[in-house]
Amino acid sequence: MFLSQDVSRRINHPYFYPDPLYCHYSMDGIAFNWMDGIFGMCLSPDGGAGQRVLYFHSLSSHNEFYVPTASLRNDTPNTPN
């Protein structure tokens, strides 16, 4: 729908941001902080009638979040879960 109509949206939500409690890393004896947001996304299989779920994860977090793709197509998107 959006690609064929040349439509895009920018959506901001605190779930997209890193969690400061999980930004401390140590590799090969080098300790550092890495405050990185969205790192990965995936779509669920089509549940019928184009109903899919978008799962996303911040690199510096231990939580996985999701949002129904129908909400992303809506002019007033719902909050991710």
Side-chain angles (χ1 to χ4, degrees), residues 38-46 51-58 63-69 72:
I38 294 280
F39 177 69
M41 295 185 281
C42 68
L43 283 170
S44 70
D46 189 343
Q51 296 182 22
R52 298 176 81 176
V53 175
L54 174 68
Y55 296 91
F56 57 94
H57 183 85
S58 173
N63 293 316
E64 190 83 21
F65 300 101
Y66 67 92
V67 62
T69 56
L72 300 175

Side-chain angles (χ1 to χ4, degrees), residues 11-74:
I11 301 171
N12 286 317
H13 192 276
Y15 289 167
F16 301 161
Y17 305 139
D19 185 336
L21 298 176
Y22 295 93
C23 70
H24 309 291
Y25 296 89
S26 179
M27 296 171 58
D28 269 345
I30 300 171
F32 57 96
N33 292 334
W34 191 290
M35 294 289 289
D36 212 352
I38 294 280
F39 177 69
M41 295 185 281
C42 68
L43 283 170
S44 70
D46 189 343
Q51 296 182 22
R52 298 176 81 176
V53 175
L54 174 68
Y55 296 91
F56 57 94
H57 183 85
S58 173
L59 176 66
S60 297
S61 176
H62 72 287
N63 293 316
E64 190 83 21
F65 300 101
Y66 67 92
V67 62
T69 56
S71 295
L72 300 175
R73 290 188 295 269
N74 189 345

